Amino acid sequence: MQTEPKKSLVGEEYEVEVGPVAHGGHCIARTDEGQVLFVRHALPGERVIARVTDGEEGARFLRTDAVEILTPSKDRVEAPCPFSGPGKCGGCDWQHAAPGAQRRLKAEVITEQLSRLAGLTPEEARWDGTVEPAPGDKVPKGEVPAWRTRVQYAIDAEGHVGLRKHRSHDIQPVDHCLIAAPGVSELGIEKRDWPQIATVEAIAATGSNDRQVVLTPRPGGRLPIVELDKPVSVLRVHEKDGGIHRVHGRPFVRERAADRTWRVGNSGFWQVHPKAADLLVEAVMQGLMPKKGDMALDLYCGVGLFAGALADRVGEKGAVLGIESSKRAVEDARHNLQDLDRVRIEHGKVEQILPRTGISDVDLIVLDPPRAGAGRQTVAHLASLGARRIAYVACDPAALARDVKYFAGEGYVPRRMRAFDLFPVTHHVECVMILEKAAKGS
């Protein structure tokens, strides 16, 4: 017996009182009938008209946009970006919130995730409850910092430049992205058309003048001759294998952080905010307090940022093992740290490689997993190594909270936590949690 398809509610509107912020760049509201709404472009305490953008009758929740603000919050500002708002670019979540309010909203999300998933208050997490702005990012109300050193532009069928709309493949045409770093904006990506191209990723290195664009052609598309406003290297994503190949210029950019120059190849991972790498290294090293002769692990090590910082501190009698799943990142890490005999970089997944090393005890661990987190099995293995301190670097407070609960089950408790606003006007936030073995009897 076939069931009747449920009626779409897209386009329906509700007048609602906006409740607390939630993880994901929206707030929670309820209709008079009790239906849960996820409301973007709103702020807690506002009364708004919320229009459904996704959902059907009987759904657990409906996704909505605040299309009319009936009672504005004192934290509301006019969005500086003309491409921000309902139905427009999905890149920024909080253009309509004052800078201080954005950080408070992120702090509320972290607090809620720690409470719900780890059973911790901010005090128990050893966190002061604040989200720290990066140096230089404090801007007046109604302005946004230009921080994003890597921007992926979407190209429409006519070759015009844009950015993706929220939860959509649709493209919002743009002539400038306000949060793009100056090194990205100066390339002039938005000034020209890109026929037969699907995406253009622009990269502006920190600490060098290296600029790079990575082009993804449409199926069967040919690369255009790239003539931009500044010298730039060009890479392309291969249609058949998805690999990244050099067209001209260097296949890497040189980043500068922690008193070293880092080679990052083929659009590999590097922190997007220009101050992020140094800030995170400082937070991790202050929390771990490495000693000469320590044995340390840098897991999900990328191009070796934390491994290098650890190696400088553990000295010649110490040792650092890094593990990374990206083959190109491993090549870069080995190149970047080739002057340090005490560092070894292994290629593969942490959960597979670490057990094979035979390592049974370490002094320190840096853990910087992907957004999904490390998971129960990896946490259990790490706890068995008996490290006196573990630094967990997290780009997702939910994953952090889940893994911290796993660590608690293995006898590790928070010593200190800091949160950094390394993604202004978006909902993303970076946390550094220092864990240590609980005192016996506690």
Side-chain angles (χ1 to χ4, degrees):
M1 179 178 176
Q2 287 188 331
T3 58
E4 287 289 323
K6 294 183 178 179
K7 177 186 174 184
S8 171
L9 294 178
V10 172
E12 292 289 320
E13 294 184 353
Y14 302 90
E15 181 177 330
V16 293
E17 189 88 23
V18 179
V21 66
H23 185 27
H26 52 257
C27 296
I28 303 295
R30 289 182 182 272
T31 67
D32 292 340
E33 293 74 32
Q35 172 71 63
V36 174
L37 305 183
F38 289 171
V39 190
R40 282 176 60 81
H41 311 292
L43 293 171
E46 294 186 326
R47 191 155 192 89
V48 306
I49 301 296
R51 180 181 296 157
V52 178
T53 59
D54 184 25
E56 57 190 18
E57 284 185 341
R60 194 161 54 90
F61 60 84
L62 304 175
R63 296 186 184 276
T64 70
D65 283 343
V67 295
E68 186 178 349
I69 312 301
L70 304 176
T71 308
S73 164
K74 62 178 176 56
D75 291 322
R76 176 171 287 275
V77 299
E78 185 175 348
C81 178
F83 310 114
S84 175
K88 298 181 182 179
C89 172
C92 295
D93 306 293
W94 302 119
Q95 286 265 354
H96 58 286
Q102 295 174 33
R103 293 190 286 273
R104 290 195 300 273
L105 291 169
K106 295 183 187 193
E108 289 173 20
V109 169
I110 297 169
T111 299
E112 191 270 338
Q113 296 295 304
L114 286 173
S115 173
R116 186 168 62 86
L117 299 176
L120 295 175
T121 64
E123 292 76 18
E124 291 167 334
R126 308 296 291 272
W127 173 46
D128 66 6
T130 66
V131 174
E132 306 171 39
D137 274 1
K138 283 195 171 182
V139 295
K141 194 174 182 178
E143 295 183 18
V144 298
W147 57 271
R148 194 171 185 90
T149 60
R150 293 171 178 233
V151 177
Q152 181 147 9
Y153 297 96
I155 312 299
D156 68 17
E158 286 73 46
H160 302 147
V161 174
L163 295 165
R164 299 284 182 195
K165 298 182 179 182
H166 181 60
R167 292 177 58 84
S168 172
H169 293 293
D170 294 342
I171 296 172
Q172 167 67 55
V174 302
D175 57 21
H176 179 59
C177 175
L178 284 185
I179 66 171
V184 170
S185 295
E186 70 185 15
L187 294 176
I189 302 288
E190 307 97 327
K191 295 178 183 178
R192 58 161 294 165
D193 290 340
W194 298 85
Q196 303 187 61
I197 297 297
T199 65
V200 177
E201 182 182 14
I203 299 169
T206 300
S208 79
N209 290 322
D210 292 351
R211 304 289 181 263
Q212 188 178 86
V213 295
V214 184
L215 306 179
T216 304
R218 294 185 179 277
R222 298 178 60 185
L223 287 186
I225 296 174
V226 177
E227 295 178 346
L228 294 173
D229 294 351
K230 294 287 182 179
V232 65
S233 298
V234 179
L235 308 181
R236 69 167 290 169
V237 177
H238 199 276
E239 184 178 337
K240 292 184 178 178
D241 61 11
I244 298 177
H245 303 268
R246 183 178 71 89
V247 177
H248 69 75
R250 294 190 184 97
F252 58 85
V253 295
R254 294 164 297 178
E255 303 279 2
R256 186 74 187 169
D259 298 322
R260 279 182 172 268
T261 297
W262 305 87
R263 187 181 81 181
V264 183
N266 286 11
S267 184
F269 175 79
W270 185 260
Q271 290 289 340
V272 178
H273 193 292
K275 302 293 178 62
D278 278 324
L279 268 179
L280 294 175
V281 166
E282 176 191 30
V284 167
M285 296 305 137
Q286 285 181 351
L288 290 181
M289 295 192 294
K291 300 175 183 176
K292 298 295 184 184
D294 276 346
M295 166 60 191
L297 298 177
D298 180 10
L299 306 179
Y300 315 93
C301 71
V303 300
L305 177 66
F306 295 117
L310 285 165
D312 288 340
R313 291 160 175 79
V314 302
E316 294 184 0
K317 293 185 178 179
V320 181
L321 171 66
I323 301 177
E324 168 59 42
S325 62
S326 165
K327 185 177 180 181
R328 178 57 202 248
V330 167
E331 292 172 1
D332 286 337
R334 289 170 177 168
H335 169 85
N336 294 332
L337 304 174
Q338 60 186 319
D339 60 313
L340 298 171
D341 292 340
R342 53 192 174 275
V343 178
R344 189 169 101 244
I345 307 294
E346 294 289 346
H347 172 232
K349 294 182 178 180
V350 168
E351 61 270 24
Q352 295 174 354
I353 297 299
L354 189 55
R356 296 178 195 164
T357 63
I359 293 172
S360 58
D361 64 279
V362 297
D363 298 298
L364 303 171
I365 298 172
V366 178
L367 187 62
D368 187 6
R371 189 168 298 277
R376 187 191 298 269
Q377 183 177 346
T378 297
V379 166
H381 188 177
L382 298 182
S384 73
L385 302 179
R388 70 174 183 272
R389 286 191 184 171
I390 298 171
Y392 192 127
V393 183
C395 60
D396 187 315
L400 171 66
R402 284 192 296 268
D403 283 347
V404 165
K405 184 173 183 179
Y406 298 148
F407 273 114
E410 302 290 342
Y412 277 83
V413 296
R415 177 180 176 84
R416 188 185 186 195
M417 190 183 108
R418 295 174 70 184
F420 300 96
D421 190 14
L422 301 181
F423 311 89
V425 295
T426 79
H427 74 272
H428 299 288
V429 63
E430 198 88 10
C431 298
V432 176
M433 171 80 82
I434 306 298
L435 299 155
E436 65 182 3
K437 296 177 76 172
K440 290 183 178 179
S442 65

